[in-house]
Amino acid sequence: MPEPLVPTARPPAPRPTTPSPADPAWPAAVPERTAIQGGPDPLTVVWLAVDAGPSASDLDEAVARVEAVGYEGLQTPLSCQADAWEPLGVPGGQAFGVPLYFAGRADAERFVALWDGPVAAVVEGDVFCHFD
């Protein structure tokens, strides 16, 4: 008697891939720890979102989106880049944003061209923070 046909498992359908910084198309970012502790200056900072109010929902969304493509997503005080206040349209005070740090403008511009989310501003300048 012939052997019964046993269905074989199908390989799972390919999942759509999300670009990541490991992909050569995406530029490498400078880690925040390096950037804010006196790393190479000046840096070009891509601010993805800024929130000077009590709600951080835009910041949370920006963190999730940037982490989804493999970058470090952190909420950082704007005071870590003094040159950012004016281009971001924030008069001062307590404000936070979601930045990505790049060694040069070309890398920042390449990131912005690949990024399909909002960008608050791209700011060149020194970065430094001291957290107690």
Side-chain angles (χ1 to χ4, degrees), residues 16-75:
T17 58
T18 302
S20 74
D23 179 336
W26 289 88
V30 174
E32 179 166 277
R33 182 179 196 97
T34 301
I36 68 173
Q37 293 181 353
D41 277 326
L43 293 172
T44 304
V45 182
V46 177
W47 290 94
L48 301 175
V50 174
D51 195 340
S55 169
S57 63
D58 288 346
L59 301 182
D60 292 338
E61 183 179 326
V63 166
R65 289 184 59 136
V66 77
E67 286 178 346
V69 294
Y71 286 94
E72 176 182 48
L74 298 169
Q75 296 183 22

Side-chain angles (χ1 to χ4, degrees), residues 35-39 41 79-82 126-130:
I36 68 173
Q37 293 181 353
D41 277 326
S79 58
C80 291
Q81 189 183 30
D126 292 347
V127 175
F128 183 78
C129 269
H130 178 73

